[in-house]
DNA sequence: TTGCTCCTCACGTCACGTGAGGTGGC
DNA sequence: TTGCTCCTCACGTCACGTGAGGTGGC
């Protein structure tokens, strides 16, 4: 009489016919009747049940959880919702972190404009390595500071570093005394650049130290091997 | 020589043996060699490739996208990452909205402490209905205002409403003139409660109006049918 | 000879989407 | 008779987890 066929129910509820078939198949909602030809017939009661199911689905509960709350024990609904909230909250956090990471990568890609896909891969490696040695808030601080300094300036500094390191290495190989004025000048500039990067955050300095100590790849890429570091350290010591 | 077997590679990379089998199966990473017995042998080069794959997987790219960036065209990596960021951002928004909805439900469940699972279902229905007629920020405003008023007070008001509506309905049935002082007193209180709920936000008043107009279930649950509304409106008109 | 590692299927996951092939109803 | 709705399989999705049953290597 007032019974509805699948298509009608689908149109009314916004679900698909396939979804109704599925619910029937897993026993979550089987229509109360069938026509002689085997057409599913949904009663008003079936439809009310379906609306409850859709309601809980819309809150993100799984079909199993919906079945539990609707059939097994309605009192489980509230704990199921609480537990579900925690899950979604966790996913939210994951997504937030992921977006932050992707933004970090994107930012570095913008300031360094990679010349190839492999270059981009290296950028990702660098960012990922950074994440091992700095907490999220530290990375945020570093990024914020970098934005303040500006992409232009960052590129200049990043171009200066290899020259500075090469100059130090040369003096070291020449056997120049670390207290010599030429080395002191280099060490002074070195300290300026480090201070600027660290920006008063000793924890960030410590993270950078740990990264250099633990990552041979970083030492090699930058040329900051133990010898050079020690040589500069000795020069810096006499800077006071 | 330096080639590694699956177990060794798994231990070194933190992936599972099954994952390596899977990558081999789909052709993403097939080990360069096999022993006579058919054991997979991964070269250093295989492992570098695997590390790149793991790197991109960690950023959330699908295996198909990883394959695209690693094999087909490395220059596609950057656009793939941008597009991926948008997807994750969208998921983040979804999760944020879902948590807000679940919190809204939870808050109502706390202040109304349902006596049964069906009661809880009704709470969810109410919250979901609300979401049809108010924007997210409006709902936030209503919730914030409710928190200010306090759960205790809210429960009192919600107990008073049915009494107030019943009193109005009675006068209406008695045929009392809407301008009569008894009705005016009721209308005055009515207006106080409405003003308190609306809290100066005309958009929220409008939303409530649309909800009452479009939701027979709400009219029935509250007893706010057209007759009563009109009767009160006439009384309110002569309030000043 | 006994563990241990490895091998290849192959099903299951979650909630349906998407045909394939066929049959009632206006 | 022609569309339209309905039916029942059944594969595919995504990235593996988890056995099942069997075989090399120390």
């Amino acid at each position: 009489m007032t019974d509805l066929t699948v298509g009608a129910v689908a149109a009314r509820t916004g679900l698909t016919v396939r979804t109704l078939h599925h619910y029937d198949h897993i026993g979550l909602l089987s229509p109360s009747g069938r026509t002689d030809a085997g057409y599913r017939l949904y009663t008003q009661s079936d439809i009310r049940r379906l609306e409850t199911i859709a309601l809980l689905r819309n809150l993100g509960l799984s079909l199993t959880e919906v079945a539990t709350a609707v059939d097994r024990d309605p009192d489980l609904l509230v704990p199921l919702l609480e537990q579900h909230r925690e899950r979604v909250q966790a996913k939210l956090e994951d997504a937030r972190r992921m977006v932050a990471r992707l933004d970090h990568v994107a930012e570095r890609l913008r300031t360094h404009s990679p010349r190839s896909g492999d270059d981009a891969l290296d950028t990702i490696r660098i960012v990922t390595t950074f994440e091992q040695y700095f907490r999220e808030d530290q990375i945020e601080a570093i990024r914020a500071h970098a934005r303040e300094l500006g992409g232009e300036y960052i590129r200049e500094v990043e171009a200066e570093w290899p020259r500075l390191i090469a100059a130090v290495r040369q003096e070291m190989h020449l056997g120049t005394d670390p207290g010599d004025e030429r080395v002191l000048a280099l060490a002074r500039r070195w300290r300026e650049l480090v201070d600027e990067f660290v920006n008063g955050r000793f924890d960030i300095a410590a993270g950078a130290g740990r990264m250099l100590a633990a990552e041979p790849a970083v030492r090699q890429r930058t040329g900051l091997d133990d010898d050079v570091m020690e040589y500069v350290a000795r020069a810096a010591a006499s800077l006071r």
Side-chain angles (χ1 to χ4, degrees), chain A:
Chain A
M1 186 101 276
T2 63
D3 290 0
L4 296 177
T5 171
V6 250
V9 173
R12 177 159 314 193
T13 59
L15 301 172
T16 69
V17 169
R18 176 64 178 116
T19 295
L20 294 170
H21 283 178
H22 185 58
Y23 291 175
D24 187 1
H25 187 70
I26 64 175
L28 179 59
L29 175 67
S30 294
S32 300
R34 291 267 186 164
T35 67
D36 290 346
Y39 285 27
R40 270 164 262 255
L41 286 179
Y42 292 84
T43 65
Q44 288 306 321
S45 164
D46 291 339
I47 291 176
R48 274 196 302 278
R49 180 183 167 88
L50 180 59
E51 279 166 353
T52 301
I53 291 169
L55 189 71
L56 298 182
R57 280 292 292 152
N58 268 330
L59 283 177
L61 293 186
S62 70
L63 291 183
T64 306
E65 291 168 325
V66 169
T68 299
V70 169
D71 287 329
R72 221 169 48 125
D73 184 357
D75 289 345
L76 289 176
L77 177 54
V78 173
L80 278 175
L81 285 176
E82 284 167 5
Q83 172 192 327
H84 178 55
R85 195 215 107 101
E86 294 313 306
R87 277 202 315 261
V88 182
Q89 176 77 36
K91 279 177 58 178
L92 176 68
E93 276 305 301
D94 286 351
R96 200 189 51 65
R97 258 193 301 275
M98 192 70 91
V99 169
R101 298 180 60 200
L102 289 166
D103 280 346
H104 190 183
V105 169
E107 195 164 299
R108 252 194 114 87
L109 286 173
R110 266 197 306 278
T111 48
H112 293 73
S113 45
R115 271 166 301 288
S116 69
D118 284 346
D119 246 33
L121 265 179
D122 278 334
T123 298
I124 296 176
R125 287 199 188 91
I126 291 169
V127 168
T128 309
T129 304
F130 252 70
E131 286 165 353
Q132 321 265 316
Y133 297 95
F134 299 100
R135 289 192 317 268
E136 216 179 328
D137 64 295
Q138 295 174 326
I139 290 181
E140 283 308 313
I142 295 172
R143 286 178 60 188
H145 184 49
R147 274 195 295 271
E148 269 175 43
L149 295 175
E152 179 72 17
Y153 181 72
I154 299 270
R155 277 190 295 275
E156 278 170 27
V157 169
E158 290 193 354
E160 181 178 353
W161 263 114
R163 290 198 304 267
L164 184 57
I165 293 168
V168 168
R169 184 181 304 278
Q170 196 186 1
E171 296 294 349
M172 183 176 78
H173 284 159
L174 288 173
T176 314
D177 185 279
D180 186 284
E181 183 49 42
R182 283 209 313 281
V183 183
L184 291 183
L186 295 174
R188 223 173 272 124
R189 180 56 182 156
W190 187 295
R191 205 172 57 179
E192 274 175 30
L193 291 179
V194 168
D195 284 351
E196 186 172 65
F197 171 75
V198 167
N199 195 26
R201 297 269 308 241
F202 292 116
D203 56 334
I204 287 175
R210 279 186 297 122
M211 185 167 75
L212 274 171
E215 297 283 342
V218 173
R219 281 204 300 280
Q220 200 180 343
R221 178 157 37 76
T222 56
L224 290 172
D225 56 41
D226 288 344
D227 292 347
V228 169
M229 296 285 274
E230 194 195 294
Y231 185 72
V232 171
R234 280 199 286 156
S238 47
L239 274 180
R240 198 195 3 176

